[in-house]
Amino acid sequence: MSTQEDKTKQNKDISQLEMQFTQDPNSLVFVELVDAYLEKGRMVEAMVMARRGIKTHPKEGYLALARVYMKQSKFAKGIEALNEVIKVDANNAEAFFMKGNLHLKLNENDAAIEALKKAYELDPSNLEAKALLLEKGVNLTPPNALSEGEEEESTEKVAPRKAPSSQKPGMKKKTSMPPRKAPPPTDRPFEPQKTPKETPAEQETGEATESIDVKPQKKITKLPPPTAEDFASTDDILKKDQAKRTMMLIIILAVISAGIIGFIAYTANKAKKIKNFTNIAIENMKLDTYSGYLEAKKALESAIKLEDSGNFKATLGYVEAILFGEYGGDAAMVKAATEHINDAIQKKDNSATLSAAQMLMKIYGGDANSAIQLGKEEVMKGAQHSRLLWALGIALMKVGNYDEATDFIKKAHLSETGNDPKAKDPRSYKIMGDISYKQGYMNQALGQYELALKDNKEHTGSMLGKALILSMDSAKFDEAMKIVDEILKLKAENKLSSREESLAIFVKGVINYNKGNTKEGEDFLNASLALDKDNPMIHFELAKIYANSGNVEKAISSFDNAIKLDPKNPSFYMKKGEFLISKEKYDEAISAIKRAANLMQERDKSEAYVLMSRALRQKGSLDDALKEASKALGINPEDPFAHMEKGKVYLAKQDEQRAIEEFELAMSGFKAMRNKKAVVELAISLGKMHKKNKNNERAEEMFKTAAETDPKLGAEGFYQLGLLYKENKAPKEAVAEVMQKYLEQDPNGPFAQKAKELMK
C-alpha cells in the first residue's frame, strides 16, 4: 500500500469508515479502520477490527494485526502474524521487511537477515532493507543481476526491411540486419544534431554532374586552302584551348568537393565535440559533489556555444539551481540559473529536467509547496526522470512530509539506476540519509550515508552527515574529527564549497562543545556562521551552548533564528520548549511544544506529549499534565519516558502507590534500553518511597540497583543504603563499608561530609 494511499485513508473520518464497514463487513475497509484506530491510539479497537478482518481477508488481516502488535511493541506476536501472511502469500515483500525489522528489535540477527534478504529480493527498490543488510555486513547479490558478459534478451525486435519491388534483375538482395535491441526509455537531455545524409552521388562528387554547353560555330567565309604551316598552327591552338577548359573544370570540381568535404568534416567534428561535452556533464553530475557540478556547468556552457539547445539550457539551469541551493551559490548564480531556465522555456523545451530546475529554484527560494504542486502535475503526466523525482522528494522533506518524500526518492533511485547493481547513485542515498536525520533516526541515516560513500568515497555531503552523527557520541569524537579534517583538505583543490566548509567547521564546534571545551566550541560555531549565516543548524547549536551557559536572551534569540530559517523542524521547537521549562517560562514553553507536536507525524508525538506533561506538572496543572502523559502512552503503551512522567504527576498528586507502579514500569523499560542514567534516577526514587512505606527489603533492593547499574552515576545509592543500614541498626562495619564506597565514587559529593561522620 503506497504512502499516498495511507494518507488519504488517515484523512477519512472514523465514523464514516465504521459506517462503511457496517454496510459491507466483508470489504477491505477494515484495513483503513485499523490504521485510523492506531492513528488515534485506540489499540483495543484496532486489535478487534484486525482479527475480524482475518476471517474474510487473511493476508490483509494478519498484516493489519502485525501493525497493531508493532505499535504495542509486542514484537514476537507481530512475527507470528507476519508468518501467517507469508503462508498465504509467500512473495509478500512488505511482510518480510516488517518481519526482518521485528527480528532486529528482538536482537535475532540471523532471522532478521534472512527476512530482509527476502524482502530485498522481492522489492529491489527497498533502500531501507538494503541499508540494514549492508549494516549487518551482508554481501548483497542484487536480485535479477546478470552475470559478467551476459546480456538480456530484448522483447522488441526490428523486422528486416524488404528489398524494393523495383529491384533490378541480377542485383544481389541485401541480407537483412539482425534484430536490434530496443534501447531503454530515457530522458537524456543531450541529443546532438545529426548531419543530413547525402545521396550516394553527392558523397562521391559533392554535387550533381555538370554538363558543358558547346556553342555552335559561326559560318566561316571560304578562304584559300591553308598551307601545311597554317594547318599545324590551328590544331595546336584547339588542343591548348581544350586543355584549358578541362583544367578549369577539374579545378572547379575540386574546389566544390573540398568545400562539401570540409563542411561534412566540420559538422561531424562539431557533433563529436557536443557529445564529448554532454558526456562530461552527465558523468560529473552523477558524482553529486560541488566540484562535479562545477565541471558539469563548464561542459554545458561549451556545448551551448556549439549548439544553442533549449535542453542544454534547461540542464545548465538545473545544475546552477543545485549550486545555488545546496552549495551556497551567490546572487550571480541565482541570476544565471533564472536566465537559462527562461531561455529553455522560450525555446519550447518541455523536458523533466526543466521542471526539476524550476522546482529547485522554488524550493530554495522558500516556496516548497509550489514546487510540490508542479512536480506532482508532471508525475501525473507520466514524468519519471530521476531529476524531477529528486526535486519532489526534497520539496516534501522541506515541508515535513517524510513518508511521501521517501517514496519519491525510492522511485528516483530506480529511475537513475534502472535496477542495475553496478549503477552508482550517491544522490538518492544522501537525500534518504537527510530524511532519516531530520526524523531523528540516526542509525538509519548513518547507513544511507555509508551507501552514498560506497558509490563515491569523496561525497562530501555524506561525509559531513556521517561526521555530524558521530559527533553526538563521545566514543566517536576522534573518528568524526578525522572525517572533518579530510573534508577541509579538499578546499585547497577547489573541491569544497563555502557552505561545506562552514558545515565542517560547525562539526568541529559541536565536538569541542560536547568535549566540554565550551569557549572553543562557541568560537568554531561563530566562524561557521560567518561563512553561512543562513544555516539553521548552526543557530540551533549556538542556542544550546547559550542555554547551558545560562545566557537566556542569546539562547532564545538563537532558537528563534533557527526556527525562522527552518520553520518545519520540530526539534527546534522541542529544545526551545525544554529550555523555557528550565527557566520557568511555562506558557511560552507550552506554546513551543504544541507547535512541535503539530509538525510531527502521529507516531512521533509521544515525546512532545511527555514534555508537555512536564511543563504542565511544573506549572501546577496536574490534571492536564496527567492527560498529556496518558496521550503519550496511547501512542506507545511501553514508553518508559511516558511512564516516568506519569509517575511524577501521581507523586505530585500525592498518590504514591500509583507513582510506584508507573516508576516500576518505567525502570523496566529503561533497563531494556540500557539507559543507565534513568535507571539510577528511578531506582533511588523508588528506594526512598519504599523506605518511607517501611518496605525496607524493597528499598534495599532499589538502592543496590542504583549502585550496581553504574557506581559513578549511582553513588548516592551507596549513601542511601548506608542510611538504611544505620536506621535499621545494622553492624557498623556494614554501614562503614557502603559509606566508603560512596566516598570512593563521589569524594566531593553533596553527602560526603555526612558519610564521613557516619563512618566513625
Side-chain angles (χ1 to χ4, degrees):
M1 188 181 295
S2 70
T3 305
Q4 187 59 40
E5 289 171 341
D6 288 341
K7 292 191 179 297
T8 303
K9 290 171 183 174
Q10 289 168 12
N11 292 331
K12 287 189 177 181
D13 187 76
I14 286 180
S15 59
Q16 181 186 349
L17 291 170
E18 288 172 338
M19 185 179 297
Q20 289 178 21
F21 182 76
T22 303
Q23 292 169 351
D24 187 3
N26 293 326
S27 71
L28 280 168
V29 75
F30 80 91
V31 177
E32 299 178 53
L33 198 46
V34 169
D35 290 340
Y37 285 145
L38 289 176
E39 190 75 21
K40 296 295 182 182
R42 293 159 65 173
M43 298 293 171
V44 175
E45 290 159 285
M47 177 76 73
V48 171
M49 186 54 60
R51 291 193 180 280
R52 289 181 68 178
I54 289 169
K55 296 176 183 178
T56 52
H57 300 281
K59 179 175 73 174
E60 290 80 4
Y62 278 115
L63 272 172
L65 184 62
R67 289 197 294 276
V68 177
Y69 283 135
M70 286 180 74
K71 278 280 188 181
Q72 296 177 325
S73 299
K74 295 179 180 178
F75 305 129
K77 289 279 189 183
I79 291 169
E80 289 175 10
L82 292 168
N83 284 335
E84 294 299 324
V85 177
I86 293 164
K87 284 179 185 178
V88 178
D89 180 6
N91 293 320
N92 193 299
E94 182 183 1
F96 281 106
F97 181 64
M98 288 172 67
K99 186 182 177 190
N101 276 282
L102 292 179
H103 280 303
L104 285 177
K105 295 279 188 184
L106 296 169
N107 292 320
E108 296 169 350
N109 287 333
D110 290 342
I113 289 168
E114 183 181 352
L116 290 169
K117 283 174 75 175
K118 185 66 176 177
Y120 180 56
E121 178 186 337
L122 293 168
D123 180 13
S125 67
N126 191 330
L127 300 186
E128 289 97 334
K130 185 177 180 181
L132 288 168
L133 286 167
L134 289 172
E135 186 180 334
K136 293 295 178 184
V138 177
N139 186 15
L140 289 176
T141 302
N144 303 322
L146 300 176
S147 59
E148 190 174 351
E150 183 182 351
E151 293 184 2
E152 293 179 350
E153 274 193 6
S154 171
T155 56
E156 291 184 36
K157 294 189 177 181
V158 180
R161 298 177 62 183
K162 295 181 180 179
S165 58
S166 58
Q167 185 176 345
K168 294 181 182 180
M171 286 181 65
K172 287 187 178 180
K173 187 175 180 180
K174 291 186 179 179
T175 307
S176 62
M177 295 293 289
R180 293 182 62 189
K181 189 174 179 181
T186 184
D187 183 19
R188 292 195 178 276
F190 316 114
E191 191 65 40
Q193 266 189 323
K194 295 179 180 178
T195 307
K197 292 184 179 179
E198 298 85 5
T199 64
E202 290 170 335
Q203 289 175 347
E204 288 180 15
T205 64
E207 65 173 15
T209 308
E210 231 178 64
S211 61
I212 302 174
D213 294 329
V214 182
K215 295 180 180 180
Q217 294 182 348
K218 293 181 180 180
K219 191 175 180 182
I220 301 173
T221 307
K222 193 174 182 181
L223 295 173
T227 63
E229 184 179 348
D230 290 336
F231 183 79
S233 176
T234 302
D235 189 49
D236 288 342
I237 290 169
L238 288 172
K239 284 180 180 179
K240 288 178 182 179
D241 186 54
Q242 185 64 39
K244 286 179 181 178
R245 285 173 177 271
T246 302
M247 183 59 69
M248 185 62 68
L249 180 59
I250 291 169
I251 291 169
I252 290 169
L253 290 173
V255 170
I256 293 171
S257 298
I260 292 173
I261 292 167
F263 177 74
I264 293 169
Y266 166 77
T267 306
N269 187 47
K270 176 183 171 183
K272 185 178 179 181
K273 285 183 177 179
I274 290 172
K275 186 177 181 181
N276 183 50
F277 286 133
T278 56
N279 285 340
I280 290 170
I282 290 170
E283 291 306 312
N284 276 285
M285 287 165 71
K286 285 181 178 179
L287 297 174
D288 192 45
T289 60
Y290 175 65
S291 58
Y293 286 116
L294 286 180
E295 289 300 315
K297 177 175 161 63
K298 289 178 188 175
L300 287 164
E301 287 169 342
S302 298
I304 289 168
K305 287 178 183 177
L306 295 171
E307 183 179 324
D308 192 17
S309 158
N311 196 251
F312 290 172
K313 291 285 182 73
T315 309
L316 181 55
Y318 173 80
V319 168
E320 289 166 337
I322 289 174
L323 286 168
F324 154 59
E326 297 177 25
Y327 296 97
D330 56 13
M333 191 66 74
V334 176
K335 183 181 178 183
T338 305
E339 287 176 354
H340 290 130
I341 290 168
N342 289 335
D343 286 349
I345 294 169
Q346 288 179 0
K347 291 180 180 294
K348 309 296 183 186
D349 181 71
N350 60 354
S351 66
T353 299
L354 176 59
S355 298
Q358 292 172 297
M359 289 169 68
L360 289 175
M361 292 303 289
K362 289 176 184 292
I363 293 165
Y364 298 127
D367 190 5
N369 286 314
S370 293
I372 292 167
Q373 183 180 351
L374 173 59
K376 288 190 174 180
E377 286 172 0
E378 292 300 313
V379 170
M380 289 291 288
K381 294 175 187 175
Q384 291 294 319
H385 196 283
S386 54
R387 292 172 193 156
L388 178 78
L389 298 173
W390 281 327
L392 189 48
I394 291 169
L396 288 161
M397 176 177 67
K398 288 284 184 183
V399 300
N401 192 341
Y402 300 121
D403 285 345
E404 200 172 358
T406 300
D407 283 347
F408 279 109
I409 299 304
K410 284 181 182 179
K411 290 176 183 176
H413 176 69
L414 192 60
S415 173
E416 180 69 7
T417 63
N419 216 16
D420 179 358
K422 295 181 181 178
K424 298 185 184 302
D425 182 21
R427 186 165 177 80
S428 289
Y429 291 128
K430 197 270 181 181
I431 298 171
M432 289 283 286
D434 291 346
I435 293 170
S436 296
Y437 183 91
K438 279 183 172 287
Q439 294 180 94
Y441 305 146
M442 296 306 168
N443 288 334
Q444 193 169 311
L446 194 60
Q448 298 293 347
Y449 292 142
E450 291 285 8
L451 286 172
L453 290 167
K454 187 177 178 182
D455 281 355
N456 178 8
K457 64 181 181 180
E458 287 190 351
H459 194 264
T460 46
S462 295
M463 291 171 75
L464 284 163
K466 181 179 177 180
L468 187 57
I469 292 171
L470 295 177
S471 71
M472 301 173 188
D473 183 350
S474 59
K476 302 289 178 66
F477 285 164
D478 291 341
E479 186 181 350
M481 194 66 83
K482 185 179 178 182
I483 293 171
V484 169
D485 289 338
E486 287 176 9
I487 292 169
L488 290 172
K489 286 177 185 176
L490 297 173
K491 183 182 178 182
E493 303 172 39
N494 197 30
K495 290 184 177 180
L496 198 67
S497 69
S498 59
R499 176 162 294 175
E500 289 172 318
E501 182 185 0
S502 169
L503 284 169
I505 295 171
F506 165 75
V507 175
K508 275 197 165 188
V510 172
I511 293 170
N512 275 279
Y513 172 69
N514 288 339
K515 279 184 171 181
N517 304 328
T518 306
K519 182 64 174 67
E520 195 172 352
E522 185 179 351
D523 290 343
F524 274 121
L525 289 171
N526 280 319
S528 173
L529 194 60
L531 286 168
D532 188 8
K533 66 182 186 327
D534 293 330
N535 189 328
M537 288 302 299
I538 301 172
H539 291 282
F540 181 58
E541 291 299 326
L542 277 170
K544 290 196 290 185
I545 286 178
Y546 292 135
N548 286 338
S549 64
N551 193 327
V552 178
E553 187 178 339
K554 280 192 173 183
I556 293 175
S557 174
S558 293
F559 277 126
D560 289 341
N561 286 335
I563 289 167
K564 184 179 179 182
L565 290 165
D566 188 0
K568 300 292 184 181
N569 193 324
S571 299
F572 295 169
Y573 296 98
M574 289 288 285
K575 283 294 181 184
K576 181 182 178 183
E578 192 175 349
F579 172 66
L580 290 168
I581 291 171
S582 71
K583 297 303 172 185
E584 299 182 358
K585 295 177 179 291
Y586 300 120
D587 290 335
E588 292 175 56
I590 289 166
S591 176
I593 298 163
K594 280 182 179 178
R595 179 65 176 145
N598 290 336
L599 290 169
M600 292 174 171
Q601 296 182 53
E602 193 63 32
R603 66 170 183 261
D604 299 325
K605 288 184 178 180
S606 175
E607 183 184 356
Y609 293 146
V610 169
L611 192 59
M612 182 75 77
S613 175
R614 177 179 158 194
L616 290 164
R617 171 172 56 82
Q618 292 186 210
K619 184 184 177 183
S621 303
L622 299 181
D623 289 338
D624 289 336
L626 196 59
K627 287 177 184 177
E628 293 299 317
S630 297
K631 281 163 68 176
L633 289 168
I635 294 173
N636 180 6
E638 297 181 14
D639 182 355
F641 293 98
H643 281 298
M644 182 165 71
E645 175 57 34
K646 196 172 183 180
K648 288 180 179 179
V649 176
Y650 279 131
L651 199 60
K653 290 168 75 72
Q654 298 183 342
D655 189 342
E656 285 194 8
Q657 187 54 45
R658 286 189 177 182
I660 289 171
E661 289 173 5
E662 293 297 332
F663 285 160
E664 294 277 8
L665 288 169
M667 191 166 71
S668 177
F670 284 128
K671 281 182 178 178
M673 293 170 61
R674 298 182 182 178
N675 186 333
K676 293 182 179 181
K677 184 177 180 182
V679 171
V680 166
E681 179 186 344
L682 284 167
I684 290 172
S685 295
L686 282 166
K688 289 177 179 178
M689 293 165 74
H690 286 306
K691 179 182 172 183
K692 181 181 176 184
N693 294 330
K694 308 298 183 184
N695 189 346
N696 292 334
E697 185 178 345
R698 188 71 174 138
E700 181 181 5
E701 183 185 342
M702 288 296 101
F703 293 142
K704 283 183 176 179
T705 297
E708 290 168 1
T709 297
D710 189 313
K712 193 76 176 175
L713 288 172
E716 187 184 344
F718 292 117
Y719 175 75
Q720 295 295 341
L721 198 58
L723 286 181
L724 183 67
Y725 289 162
K726 179 77 174 176
E727 291 169 10
N728 285 280
K729 300 180 180 180
K732 288 184 178 181
E733 292 81 7
V735 175
E737 182 182 353
V738 290
M739 289 300 181
Q740 180 60 39
K741 287 181 179 178
Y742 167 74
L743 291 169
E744 287 172 0
Q745 298 298 330
D746 196 5
N748 300 312
F751 309 109
Q753 187 59 40
K754 184 69 175 174
K756 290 174 184 176
E757 292 173 5
L758 290 170
M759 288 177 68
K760 295 177 182 178

